[in-house]
Amino acid sequence: MADPAAPAAAARPTKIIAGADPFGAPLKDALVTHLREALHIEVEDLGTGPYYSIAADVGRRISSSGGPETRGLVACGTGCGVSMFANKFPGAFAATCLSVADAVNARSINNSNILAVSAVSTPPEPAVEILRAWLDTPFKSPCPANGDRPWSDDIQEFLDRALVETPKIGALASEPDESASCAICCLVKRRELNPIDMIPGGSMKILRETPTSAIVRFKAGSVEPAHHHTFGHDLVVLQGKKSVWNLTKKERYDLVVGDYLFTPAGDVHRVQYHEETEFFIKWDGHWDMFFDEDLETAKKAIAEESSSPSLP
């Protein structure tokens, strides 16, 4: 009797190179265990490090692996930071997948060879389902983006052509192109950000719904008065410098480009922008914002804090 899992197993890589930052390490470890014990796939685990360096290590290795038999697995809090830095190498195609549909689409359309997962959004059991879908989906196969129907001949020709042309983009670049620095930046490029009416100096552009993600920009010197939300949110700084005071936890975070911060639901926090700053933010649920002080009170507290190391 034929093994029904045989076609899927045939599509799988024979080796996975894995790595994570401290936020993503527990999820990465669970997936590595599944790969080794349940699927009997060889795993080279590069361990744990800062999201930008560990993801770059995986991306570099996949870029030089030379074939589809080896793929990568990276994890961090959101799955976005590791994806950005893994993608900095020609032939490395990392995709952040928060669902099985994302994983199938990424393999079918983009021939993704690095899976990026979010430890904040994805518990181990759903992550295993995402991993298996990503492992077992061949390039150009039917996927949710096309109603699970086969691709037409002209689309298949385009996908084949993209498979040849896309690795050349990074390989032929003699100098860094700051206008195309990362996938998230490209999403917002040439899009108008809408002003945030409640806070002077802020603007925002929604990129995706459920879970919701957005690019937010604040002018230098802007201040967000102390406030809280009914949802927790993750952010990664893309440009500039900001300080966040978590008044609930009595902690201060000074964030620059590449830094990540998770703020739990209900935590009261105040923000100051030292430079023009842009960041990626993700949350679950409808947007809300409840102020715990007015703008003048916030500015006064920040001014007082500047002359004292203690949290106001």
Side-chain angles (χ1 to χ4, degrees), residues 166-308:
T166 51
K168 298 177 182 178
I169 294 173
L172 295 177
S174 57
E175 297 181 358
D177 181 1
E178 295 181 359
S179 67
S181 57
C182 71
I184 290 178
C185 301
C186 291
L187 284 173
V188 77
K189 187 180 178 185
R190 293 185 295 275
R191 294 189 185 185
E192 181 180 354
L193 274 67
N194 301 314
I196 302 175
D197 296 333
M198 295 183 290
I199 308 176
S203 56
M204 179 169 68
K205 179 68 180 180
I206 299 293
L207 302 178
R208 171 182 175 153
E209 301 283 355
T210 314
T212 308
S213 59
I215 291 287
V216 181
R217 183 182 300 142
F218 274 91
K219 295 178 180 178
S222 299
V223 170
E224 293 184 53
H227 62 279
H228 64 277
H229 309 280
T230 60
F231 49 81
H233 57 78
D234 310 87
L235 66 84
V236 177
V237 177
L238 304 175
Q239 172 188 322
K241 179 181 179 182
K242 60 186 285 189
S243 294
V244 179
W245 289 266
N246 187 315
L247 304 181
T248 300
K249 291 185 169 57
K250 301 187 185 304
E251 295 176 343
R252 171 176 171 165
Y253 309 94
D254 294 312
L255 308 178
V256 295
V257 175
D259 284 343
Y260 164 84
L261 180 65
F262 172 69
T263 302
D267 276 18
V268 178
H269 52 291
R270 178 191 298 135
V271 187
Q272 179 185 27
Y273 295 90
H274 306 284
E275 304 171 0
E276 180 168 321
T277 302
E278 193 170 280
F279 56 93
F280 172 84
I281 185 170
K282 181 176 76 68
W283 70 91
D284 283 311
H286 296 290
W287 174 262
D288 59 35
M289 192 171 192
F290 302 94
F291 287 100
D292 298 279
E293 65 182 5
D294 60 30
L295 183 58
E296 291 307 313
T297 301
K299 290 181 177 180
K300 181 179 178 181
I302 290 172
E304 292 174 352
E305 198 271 348
S306 65
S307 61
S308 171

Side-chain angles (χ1 to χ4, degrees), residues 30-250:
L31 295 179
V32 166
T33 297
H34 185 80
L35 285 164
R36 287 171 171 164
E37 297 182 1
L39 303 181
H40 307 292
I41 293 177
E42 178 188 355
V43 179
E44 182 179 350
D45 190 349
L46 303 185
T48 305
Y51 74 89
Y52 43 87
S53 59
I54 194 69
D57 287 343
V58 174
R60 188 181 299 107
R61 296 287 296 278
I62 297 303
S63 174
S64 61
S65 66
E69 297 82 10
T70 301
R71 295 191 213 164
L73 169 67
V74 288
C76 65
T78 64
C80 297
V82 285
S83 178
M84 285 191 284
F85 284 90
N87 272 327
K88 289 187 176 291
F89 301 90
F93 304 118
T96 302
C97 298
L98 303 180
S99 67
V100 168
D102 286 346
V104 175
N105 287 336
R107 284 289 305 142
S108 171
I109 301 168
N110 309 113
N111 198 36
S112 164
N113 56 10
I114 302 176
L115 173 64
V117 290
S118 163
V120 171
S121 301
T122 316
E125 190 170 323
V128 165
E129 295 178 4
I130 291 170
L131 172 66
R132 294 186 73 129
W134 181 80
L135 289 170
D136 294 342
T137 301
F139 179 52
K140 299 189 298 182
S141 60
C143 66
N146 194 41
D148 293 315
R149 299 183 302 271
W151 292 107
S152 62
D153 290 344
D154 59 330
I155 295 297
Q156 291 202 44
E157 289 177 6
F158 165 76
L159 294 175
D160 284 332
R161 188 166 63 253
L163 195 63
V164 175
E165 294 176 352
T166 51
K168 298 177 182 178
I169 294 173
L172 295 177
S174 57
E175 297 181 358
D177 181 1
E178 295 181 359
S179 67
S181 57
C182 71
I184 290 178
C185 301
C186 291
L187 284 173
V188 77
K189 187 180 178 185
R190 293 185 295 275
R191 294 189 185 185
E192 181 180 354
L193 274 67
N194 301 314
I196 302 175
D197 296 333
M198 295 183 290
I199 308 176
S203 56
M204 179 169 68
K205 179 68 180 180
I206 299 293
L207 302 178
R208 171 182 175 153
E209 301 283 355
T210 314
T212 308
S213 59
I215 291 287
V216 181
R217 183 182 300 142
F218 274 91
K219 295 178 180 178
S222 299
V223 170
E224 293 184 53
H227 62 279
H228 64 277
H229 309 280
T230 60
F231 49 81
H233 57 78
D234 310 87
L235 66 84
V236 177
V237 177
L238 304 175
Q239 172 188 322
K241 179 181 179 182
K242 60 186 285 189
S243 294
V244 179
W245 289 266
N246 187 315
L247 304 181
T248 300
K249 291 185 169 57
K250 301 187 185 304

